[in-house]
Amino acid sequence: MSYYLLAQEKVVLYPTEIPNSKQDISSLSEEDTPVLYKYDGIFSKKAVLIIPGGGYARVALQHEGHDVAKAFNAHGYNAFVLYYRLPKDATMVDRKYGPLQDAQRAMQFIRTHYELEEVGVLGFSAGGHLAASLSTHFDDVKIENIKQIPLRPDFSVLVYPVISMEDAYTHKGSKNNLLGAQPAAADITYFSLDKQVNKGTPPTFLVHAKDDKAVVFENAMLYQEGLRRSGVKNDIFIYDTGGHGFGLNNATDSRKWADAMFEWLEKVDSE
């Protein structure tokens, strides 16, 4: 069955005060103001929070955000695209937690304002790192959550994700932008998400190309190893070629990872 896009709504995540900000919301530029774009699905109580990549230096909103939301709408899902704050010392008290706060707030906002049975998360590249952070650190709440809204996603999809902050595997630009030039060992461990997987981590679908030279394939392998150790349901879609940043469409391979993902989501739901 096919569904079509009904509407798009832009929502400011923090109407009054942004946590961890050095400035009040009225003085922040549009670039430093996190927002959520809502795409309505039809006849669905399912939703996905989409987190584009960009190396924690930018947010690739179109091909890793809006285009993906429309693909989920075509399968009946509600979709939310997150424009999150980029980690900056100039605007944040502690830069490394800014993106995670926005991801937690987005999940909180969605579950507070919409009647949904299932809300998952999907992230690309550094957005995959943020999605995996939300999927492993959901109990380490970095925002005000008086009503104790659950922040754990119901499923997680990580596409060519940055996972490790260890020098042997990390994407150096993402690591430097998030943690700074000389990060503490504890921060490297906290944000090396293969080490943070636990039995509460949601079922996870991974996508990666073996020839990815920006974010090496081992990132996905490390995370999958962590999932297996913790007994978390998972699957991986592997391309031999395609490099990095292909979004929904790998030009070097006719197979569509999203088709396999939607089949996997149906299978997980039925189990």
Side-chain angles (χ1 to χ4, degrees):
M1 184 177 292
S2 180
Y3 299 91
Y4 296 93
L5 177 66
L6 276 183
Q8 178 184 339
E9 178 186 1
K10 182 178 178 180
V11 179
V12 175
L13 267 187
Y14 306 100
T16 55
E17 184 177 347
I18 301 180
N20 190 27
S21 178
K22 290 181 177 178
Q23 302 168 240
D24 62 59
I25 194 167
S26 63
S27 63
L28 287 171
S29 68
E30 185 175 353
E31 177 182 307
D32 296 316
T33 304
V35 297
L36 201 59
Y37 298 89
K38 183 180 188 290
Y39 288 81
D40 288 324
I42 302 177
F43 310 130
S44 177
K45 291 293 186 179
K46 298 179 182 180
V48 62
L49 171 64
I50 300 166
I51 308 180
Y56 286 122
R58 61 186 184 89
V59 181
L61 271 177
Q62 191 59 51
H63 81 292
E64 293 178 353
H66 298 306
D67 292 349
V68 182
K70 294 171 186 177
F72 269 88
N73 274 173
H75 282 77
Y77 283 74
N78 299 283
F80 300 82
V81 179
L82 176 62
Y83 176 84
Y84 50 95
R85 287 174 292 169
L86 300 173
K88 297 178 182 178
D89 290 332
T91 58
M92 298 178 188
V93 178
D94 192 337
R95 66 195 271 175
K96 63 182 176 287
Y97 292 128
L100 178 55
Q101 288 173 309
D102 294 348
Q104 290 186 344
R105 169 58 181 158
M107 185 62 69
Q108 180 192 61
F109 183 93
I110 292 166
R111 288 206 166 116
T112 300
H113 290 85
Y114 304 99
E115 293 183 8
L116 297 164
E117 296 171 357
E118 180 179 294
V119 186
V121 67
L122 183 155
F124 295 83
S125 193
H129 183 267
L130 185 48
S133 297
L134 182 63
S135 299
T136 55
H137 291 306
F138 50 85
D139 280 337
D140 187 12
V141 181
K142 302 296 186 185
I143 59 172
E144 187 176 277
N145 193 21
I146 295 172
K147 295 183 179 180
Q148 297 185 325
I149 302 299
L151 304 181
R152 175 189 177 273
D154 292 301
F155 64 83
S156 183
V157 179
L158 309 177
V159 187
Y160 41 82
V162 177
I163 293 296
S164 179
M165 291 287 122
E166 300 287 348
D167 285 341
Y169 306 110
T170 195
H171 177 249
K172 289 185 173 64
S174 295
K175 177 181 179 180
N176 186 69
N177 288 332
L178 184 65
L179 302 182
Q182 296 181 313
D187 292 338
I188 291 173
T189 299
Y190 184 91
F191 285 104
S192 289
L193 303 171
D194 54 303
K195 299 178 180 179
Q196 304 301 327
V197 173
N198 56 72
K199 63 182 181 180
T201 300
T204 303
F205 188 87
L206 293 147
V207 181
H208 221 116
K210 288 183 177 180
D211 69 344
D212 191 333
K213 292 181 173 58
V215 177
V216 295
F217 180 65
E218 283 80 3
N219 279 268
M221 293 290 95
L222 287 168
Y223 198 78
Q224 188 177 45
E225 287 172 14
L227 294 167
R228 287 172 172 169
R229 283 195 304 269
S230 297
V232 177
K233 294 177 184 178
N234 69 88
D235 201 356
I236 187 166
F237 191 96
I238 299 172
Y239 289 111
D240 287 328
T241 60
H244 189 75
F246 48 76
L248 286 171
N249 301 304
N250 183 342
T252 72
D253 196 310
S254 61
R255 296 175 302 150
K256 303 295 185 185
W257 64 261
D259 291 342
M261 176 201 67
F262 283 118
E263 289 180 9
W264 178 82
L265 287 173
E266 288 182 11
K267 179 181 176 182
V268 169
D269 281 347
S270 66
E271 291 177 348

